[in-house]
């Protein structure tokens, strides 16, 4: 097995003290230039690499950020992760990624593992099961920096990065109304997920502004599985007064909606129009193509890291929480309007 070179090896070879080698490698004063050159030359020749773990323990910093997401299989999260990692690396940090698989228990475990000195701070998007936030308040009491993105806890005072979900849903429903829809359903996420609840408010706002009734039977909550969206769409379209428009909380579920409509031989967009969220690549290749709300995933990732580092690198260890609300863009395709 190859031996990793240490400062003790260099000191022994040059017949100097370990402290002398350490000062030379850190470019500290009180060391003769010739001795410093000998140390640096040998370190380069032997490909000496500093022990980052030992350094981090001395400085109480690991130069590592923790990231917790619901599911790496979701396009939204996998893409944001890429931008978070890029921003972290640019700032000189590495990234330790964990996923909850939408499980509260796994979220607890991930928080416990990451907070045992492995990371300098944590970026998190909550699982759909999370309704108790004590594990996060404990984190803050211990002084571990925390940033939420996308799904967050509105009762916890912390830095957060999100899009204007209420406004984006409002604009999406307004688009459906402008294209002739009068009875619009909302296929939502779990009842305790903040993102879905914010979009529900925008949905209701657009209907009320247009003088359309808000029918609770048209608001259905989903668990983010396509099969659930498919079965819920069957129920919606087999009702006596079926919708002519559907707002779907994510493109992932919109695929389930389209599958059901094709099974029922209901034409999109002629008989029912669809708008969803995330603007995943599949929106452009499926038939009909799907109108979807595009989110600034690069900004979400970059700003999440910036807000976390602002806490980690603050001299007093504290910083005032910042909430960044980013704008979205509705990308109109075939599912919501006849394109010329």
């Amino acid at each position: 097995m190859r031996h990793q070179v240490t400062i003790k090896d260099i000191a022994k070879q040059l017949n100097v003290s370990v402290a002398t080698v350490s000062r030379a490698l850190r470019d500290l004063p009180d060391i003769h230039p010739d001795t410093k050159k000998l140390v640096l030359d040998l370190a380069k020749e032997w490909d000496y690499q500093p022990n980052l773990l030992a350094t981090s323990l001395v400085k109480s910093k690991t130069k590592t950020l923790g990231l917790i997401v619901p599911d790496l299989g979701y396009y939204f999260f996998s893409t944001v992760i890429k931008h978070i990692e890029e921003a972290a690396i640019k700032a000189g940090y590495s990234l330790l990624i964990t996923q909850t698989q939408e499980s509260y228990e796994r979220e607890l475990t991930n928080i416990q593992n990451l907070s045992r000195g492995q990371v300098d701070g944590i970026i998190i998007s909550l699982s759909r099961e999370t309704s108790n936030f004590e594990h996060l308040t404990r984190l803050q009491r211990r002084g571990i920096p925390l940033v939420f993105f996308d799904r967050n806890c509105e009762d916890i005072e912390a830095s957060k990065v999100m899009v204007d979900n209420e406004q984006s849903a409002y604009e999406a429903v307004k688009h459906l109304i402008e294209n002739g829809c009068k009875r619009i359903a909302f296929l939502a996420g779990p009842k305790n997920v903040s993102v879905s609840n914010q979009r529900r408010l925008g949905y209701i706002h657009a209907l009320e502004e247009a003088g359309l009734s808000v029918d609770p039977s048209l608001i259905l909550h989903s668990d983010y599985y396509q099969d659930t969206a498919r079965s819920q769409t069957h129920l919606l379209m087999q009702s006596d007064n079926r919708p002519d428009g559907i707002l779907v909380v994510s493109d992932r579920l919109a695929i389930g909606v389209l599958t059901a409509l094709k099974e029922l031989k209901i034409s999109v967009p002629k008989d029912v129009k669809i708008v969803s969220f995330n603007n995943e690549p599949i929106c452009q290749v499926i038939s009909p193509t799907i109108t979807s709300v595009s989110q600034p995933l690069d900004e979400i990732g970059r700003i999440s890291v910036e807000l976390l580092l602002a806490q980690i690198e603050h001299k007093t260890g504290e910083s005032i929480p910042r909430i960044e609300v980013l704008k979205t863009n509705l990308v109109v395709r075939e599912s919501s309007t006849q394109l010329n």
Side-chain angles (χ1 to χ4, degrees), residues 62 108-119 122 139 142 144:
T62 66
L108 283 178
T109 300
N110 290 341
I111 285 287
Q112 291 168 357
N113 290 338
L114 292 177
S115 62
R116 288 171 181 157
Q118 295 187 52
V119 298
I122 295 174
L139 206 65
R142 292 174 57 190
I144 298 176

Side-chain angles (χ1 to χ4, degrees), residues 165-174 186 196-208 247:
N165 285 294
E166 184 173 344
Q167 179 64 22
S168 61
Y170 165 82
E171 293 173 357
V173 174
K174 186 176 180 180
F186 178 35
S196 178
N197 292 333
Q198 292 160 4
R199 291 172 183 173
R200 179 172 55 83
L201 292 175
Y203 160 83
I204 292 172
H205 179 198
L207 292 180
E208 292 179 337
L247 177 67

Side-chain angles (χ1 to χ4, degrees), residues 317-332:
E318 299 177 352
S319 63
I320 299 173
R322 283 170 47 196
I323 298 178
E324 296 286 340
V325 181
L326 309 177
K327 293 183 178 180
T328 61
N329 177 47
L330 183 65
V331 181
V332 178

Side-chain angles (χ1 to χ4, degrees), residues 6-16 21 42 45-46:
T6 68
I7 60 175
K8 289 183 179 179
D9 297 327
I10 296 174
K12 182 178 181 181
Q13 177 68 19
L14 297 177
N15 197 27
V16 296
V21 175
L42 186 60
E45 180 185 344
W46 284 3

